[in-house]
Amino acid sequence: MTDRYGVIGHPIAHSKSPVIHAQFARQTGHDIRYEAIDIEPRKLKKTIRRLVRDGIRGFNVTVPHKEAIADLMDANVGQAERAGAVNTVSVTSDHSLAGDNTDGIGLIRDLTHNLRVSLEGATVLVLGAGGATRGIVPALLDAGTESLTIANRTLQRAQDLADTFGNEGDIAASTFEDLANQRFELVINATSAGLQGEVPPFPPSIIGPNTVCYDLSYAMTETPFVAWAREHDCRHAHQGWGMLVEQAAESFRIWRGVRPDTGPVLRQLR
Ligand code: ATR
């Protein structure tokens, strides 16, 4: 019997996850169907109940539901428990829901394995303090980074994250303005500003000759953040395609017990 999976978000039509999981299924010989499901925030709880009743076996979660969904889980396991944000839900045979988060593992695997970026001892800046940032902070701390700065338009949200994870490593909160005259080895854009075609007022001083810039967003053309980084002489600016495929592979492993080979899928997407 075909097992049913999906990705929930709002909007969701742009999602590449159905294509990626279809390729994983072909590669591993698993009989699954994976679809994009649009859910408005106010209908989240009710629609999840219906999907579970209809027999869905698991689903990914994307903007804007990653934090809200954590409260609807029977258990948050793995990285989701630490992050307070969920991107992978497994439905058990008795219809209970387990939330996990593969974003951090996906990011670290793309940076270290695919892009050969060393995180050990690195000074890292994360721009943005929403659900996406929550998902990646624990994994960045585990990767042995020297320091982590979280900068956000709304300082309080960055401060809340710095407080939440403060006992796990060296974390500072900042406004964008206060980053002027600071330079980092790795700069990660986790704001959703690019979805509106915008680049927030990041001071160019954050980029030095050897800085790696990484955008969690991805697009068929350059994302606004990658374009901004290149305009400011960044020689190593990457979109989030690799993270997208790696986090998907980790979700597939959680659901199906086998980790697909990401190389061919990533090459085809790029
Ligand atoms: P996600 O799950 O993608 O993190 P989110 O929780 O809504 O989504 O968080 C969006 C992040 O992008 C926030 O850090 C938000 O900043 P605020 O906390 O100040 O709202 C940031 N963001 C979105 N649009 C932005 C813009 N135009 N300029 C600056 N930051 C923006």
Side-chain angles (χ1 to χ4, degrees), residues 29-235:
H30 282 229
D31 184 12
I32 72 162
R33 184 158 63 93
Y34 185 108
E35 60 197 321
I37 304 160
D38 196 307
I39 307 182
E40 283 174 49
R42 65 189 175 87
K43 295 185 180 159
L44 184 62
K45 196 171 174 179
K46 205 170 141 197
T47 313
I48 298 299
R49 268 208 299 265
R50 182 174 54 72
L51 289 170
V52 170
R53 242 191 349 257
D54 292 349
I56 200 162
R57 297 283 302 271
F59 52 93
N60 286 123
V61 184
T62 188
V63 182
H65 302 310
K66 285 184 183 184
E67 286 174 274
I69 197 92
D71 294 332
L72 304 181
M73 298 293 104
D74 294 294
N76 282 309
V77 298
Q79 294 289 331
E81 195 183 0
R82 263 168 93 195
V86 165
N87 85 330
T88 305
V89 176
S90 303
V91 183
T92 61
S93 51
D94 65 352
H95 286 186
S96 71
L97 303 177
D100 205 331
N101 198 315
T102 65
D103 282 338
I105 297 170
L107 172 68
I108 301 299
R109 188 159 164 99
D110 191 36
L111 283 170
T112 59
H113 190 264
N114 301 337
L115 301 170
R116 307 274 169 205
V117 174
S118 171
L119 295 174
E120 190 74 38
T123 53
V124 180
L125 168 64
V126 179
L127 301 160
T133 300
R134 270 187 176 276
I136 62 172
V137 162
L140 286 169
L141 291 171
D142 288 350
T145 51
E146 183 181 288
S147 66
L148 187 58
T149 302
I150 302 174
N152 198 41
R153 175 175 63 183
T154 313
L155 177 62
Q156 189 57 49
R157 281 185 97 186
Q159 191 59 58
D160 289 347
L161 283 185
D163 292 346
T164 303
F165 295 105
N167 55 357
E168 297 188 39
D170 178 3
I171 310 190
S174 175
T175 60
F176 298 141
E177 249 177 4
D178 288 342
L179 296 173
N181 305 320
Q182 293 187 62
R183 181 167 286 185
F184 300 86
E185 287 159 342
L186 173 64
V187 177
I188 298 171
N189 176 41
T191 73
S192 55
L195 294 177
Q196 296 104 45
E198 286 172 26
V199 181
F202 307 137
S205 62
I206 58 180
I207 301 175
N210 296 316
T211 300
V212 174
C213 288
Y214 192 96
D215 196 346
L216 299 195
S217 302
Y218 46 87
M220 288 304 174
T221 54
E222 260 185 351
T223 60
F225 176 70
V226 164
W228 176 87
R230 294 218 167 110
E231 268 162 36
H232 293 96
D233 298 331
C234 177
R235 288 179 287 155

